[in-house]
């Protein structure tokens, strides 16, 4: 049990934080939470690039090959991150640290912070302790379990256990359940426990880490406003279950489903990146190559979560980037925006072709 927890801690926390140092400074400061999220998105993008070709060209032990290739990719990203870190230290580089506290540390601020942490803990505990079988789990969790046990990917029907006869382009091009199966295989934790117990803890905290960075961008001048923003957000999430299809319900109930990750992590992170872009343009600065690289891997990570990610991420980035280009007369922004959309568009065309 301790070994399983250690493996998951290294894979889901330590590794993304280290890989995320590749994008240090993109948010204007050396934020640990930003490193963690950006590193995980980079790893998701790599998994998407590895897994989809393996599914399209099925071979013997294809799932095992995915695990091996993903391990090589993760090791390469880790070495790259360490190399860049050594280079930055040698050059005396440091991120522009922005002071988050504006001097309004008082009893009210500490009480608000305590309420935010308590509500976050309540959501995590309830998501784990009251985990129940959601309708789509009959496909997604079953697919993860079958993949981990059989070593095949989308070759066995999760409903009947029979062999597939038609190619399932909708799910095969967004293999988030295969990522869960990979975590299950390398850690020894059953795929159902991984989806209902382990991942809700990690993904809920990751979602709120993104929202905290958005709050910092919106209310940089006041800690009280940032804490009130997070508190209101948590209340909206807790009481947002008026429908099965709200983003709030997805975050707490369908946490480990790819479409929930798209709604609660990928799209909010793209909003954060657009805020950073607009802030840089307002200050008459260039976003930089690392910014566009992070945007590109976020778009690819969205495709891992759901086939809808190819459409929704392109619309969001296209509208945001287009408005920025028009408002600031930066017409050259159209080129990197189009480049970031290249892979999602290609996957969307592939989906239409295969379907």
């Amino acid at each position: 049990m301790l070994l399983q927890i250690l493996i998951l801690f290294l894979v889901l926390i330590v590794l993304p934080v280290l890989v995320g140092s590749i994008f240090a400074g993109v948010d204007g400061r050396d934020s640990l939470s930003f490193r963690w999220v950006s590193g995980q998105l980079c790893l998701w993008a790599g998994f998407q690039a590895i897994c989809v070709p393996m599914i399209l060209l099925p071979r013997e032990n294809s799932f095992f090959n995915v695990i091996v290739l993903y391990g090589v990719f993760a090791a390469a990203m880790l070495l790259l991150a360490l190399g860049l870190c050594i280079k930055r230290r040698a050059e005396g580089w440091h991120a522009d640290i922005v002071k988050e506290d504006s001097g309004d540390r008082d009893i009210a601020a500490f009480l608000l912070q305590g309420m935010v942490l308590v509500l976050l803990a309540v959501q995590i505990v309830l998501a784990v302790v009251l985990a129940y079988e959601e309708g789509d789990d009959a496909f997604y969790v079953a697919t993860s379990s079958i993949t981990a046990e059989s070593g095949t990917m989308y070759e066995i029907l999760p409903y009947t256990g029979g062999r597939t006869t038609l190619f399932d382009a909708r799910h095969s091009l967004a293999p988030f359940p295969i990522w869960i199966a990979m975590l299950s295989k390398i850690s020894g934790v059953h795929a159902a426990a991984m989806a209902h117990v382990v991942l809700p803890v990690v993904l809920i905290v990751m979602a709120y880490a993104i929202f905290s960075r958005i709050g910092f961008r919106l209310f940089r001048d006041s800690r009280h406003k940032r804490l009130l923003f997070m508190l209101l957000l948590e209340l909206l999430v807790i009481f947002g279950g008026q429908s099965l299809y709200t983003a709030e319900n997805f975050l707490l109930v369908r946490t480990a489903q790819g479409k929930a990750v798209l709604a609660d992590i990928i799209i909010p992170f793209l909003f954060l990146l657009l805020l950073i872009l607009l802030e840089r343009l307002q200050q008459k600065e260039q976003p930089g190559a690392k910014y566009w690289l992070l945007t590109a891997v976020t778009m690819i990570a969205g495709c891992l979560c759901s086939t809808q990610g190819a459409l929704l991420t392109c619309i969001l980035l296209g509208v945001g980037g287009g408005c920025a280009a028009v408002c600031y007369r930066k017409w050259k922004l159209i080129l990197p925006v189009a480049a970031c959309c290249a892979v999602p568009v290609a996957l969307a065309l592939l989906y239409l072709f295969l379907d």
Side-chain angles (χ1 to χ4, degrees):
M1 185 66 177
L2 291 177
L3 180 60
Q4 293 174 337
I5 295 175
L6 177 60
I7 292 174
L8 291 174
F9 178 76
L10 292 175
V11 173
L12 294 175
I13 306 297
V14 176
L15 179 61
V17 169
L18 294 176
V19 172
S21 63
I22 296 174
F23 307 102
V26 169
D27 63 337
R29 59 188 305 277
D30 201 5
S31 169
L32 187 63
S33 60
F34 189 88
R35 282 192 181 194
W36 178 38
V37 176
S38 58
Q40 187 61 76
L41 293 178
C42 179
L43 293 171
W44 280 347
F47 188 85
Q48 170 77 349
I50 293 169
C51 190
V52 169
M54 289 292 182
I55 295 173
L56 296 178
L57 302 173
R59 298 177 182 177
E60 188 177 356
N61 298 323
S62 56
F63 178 59
F64 174 77
N65 294 334
V66 168
I67 295 177
V68 172
L69 291 176
Y70 179 75
V72 173
F73 169 77
M77 291 297 99
L78 182 59
L79 291 176
L80 175 61
L82 293 176
L84 290 176
C85 183
I86 294 173
K87 179 181 177 182
R88 286 194 293 264
R89 287 184 177 275
E91 295 175 348
W93 179 92
H94 62 88
D96 183 16
I97 304 298
V98 178
K99 187 176 180 58
E100 295 199 18
D101 299 321
S102 57
D104 49 1
R105 276 187 176 274
D106 51 24
I107 296 178
F110 283 111
L111 288 177
L112 286 172
Q113 186 175 26
M115 293 172 65
V116 169
L117 294 177
V118 168
L119 286 181
L120 176 59
V122 168
Q123 291 182 43
I124 293 174
V125 171
L126 293 180
V128 173
V129 176
L130 299 183
Y132 67 95
E133 207 175 305
E134 202 275 327
D136 286 344
D137 288 344
F139 181 88
Y140 294 111
V141 176
T143 297
S144 299
S145 300
I146 290 172
T147 300
E149 297 296 328
S150 67
T152 61
M153 297 184 294
Y154 297 107
E155 295 182 17
I156 298 177
L157 293 172
Y159 298 126
T160 64
R163 306 293 295 188
T164 57
T165 56
L166 298 175
F167 183 77
D168 185 2
R170 174 191 168 192
H171 298 102
S172 298
L173 297 182
F176 196 79
I178 309 300
W179 179 73
I180 297 177
M182 184 269 297
L183 293 178
S184 172
K185 194 69 174 179
I186 64 177
S187 66
V189 177
H190 193 276
M194 182 67 64
H196 284 290
V197 178
V198 177
L199 287 182
V201 176
V202 176
L203 297 178
I204 288 175
V205 175
M206 185 179 293
Y208 279 111
I210 296 172
F211 290 127
S212 71
R213 303 316 311 155
I214 293 176
F216 175 74
R217 292 279 168 185
L218 296 177
F219 309 106
R220 191 190 301 266
D221 61 328
S222 173
R223 188 165 184 255
H224 285 159
K225 293 179 181 179
R226 296 197 298 272
L227 292 173
L228 285 172
F229 168 77
M230 293 300 297
L231 185 60
L232 177 60
L233 180 66
E234 289 177 332
L235 290 174
L236 289 174
V237 170
I238 291 176
F239 295 99
Q242 70 272 14
S243 168
L244 294 175
Y245 306 105
T246 62
E248 297 87 350
N249 182 272
F250 274 41
L251 178 61
L252 296 183
V253 176
R254 307 186 181 198
T255 314
Q257 293 181 12
K259 50 192 173 184
V261 176
L262 174 66
D264 297 305
I265 292 180
I266 301 297
I267 291 179
F269 193 75
L270 276 177
F271 271 107
L272 174 59
L273 291 176
L274 288 173
L275 284 175
I276 294 174
L277 173 64
L278 295 174
E279 187 177 274
R280 295 281 180 85
L281 295 177
Q282 183 70 25
Q283 298 172 354
K284 301 186 183 304
E285 298 178 359
Q286 294 297 324
K290 288 197 295 185
Y291 171 86
W292 292 115
L293 177 61
L294 179 56
T295 303
V297 300
T298 304
M299 302 285 285
I300 300 173
C303 298
L304 170 69
C305 300
S306 172
T307 50
Q308 296 179 10
L311 175 64
L312 297 178
T313 55
C314 287
I315 291 176
L316 177 57
L317 183 62
V319 171
C323 289
V326 172
C327 293
Y328 292 96
R329 301 295 191 271
K330 299 289 185 180
W331 306 111
K332 292 182 179 180
L333 287 176
I334 297 176
L335 293 178
V337 167
C340 291
C341 295
V343 173
V345 169
L347 287 173
L349 294 176
L350 181 62
Y351 170 76
L352 294 175
F353 174 77
L354 294 175
D355 195 50

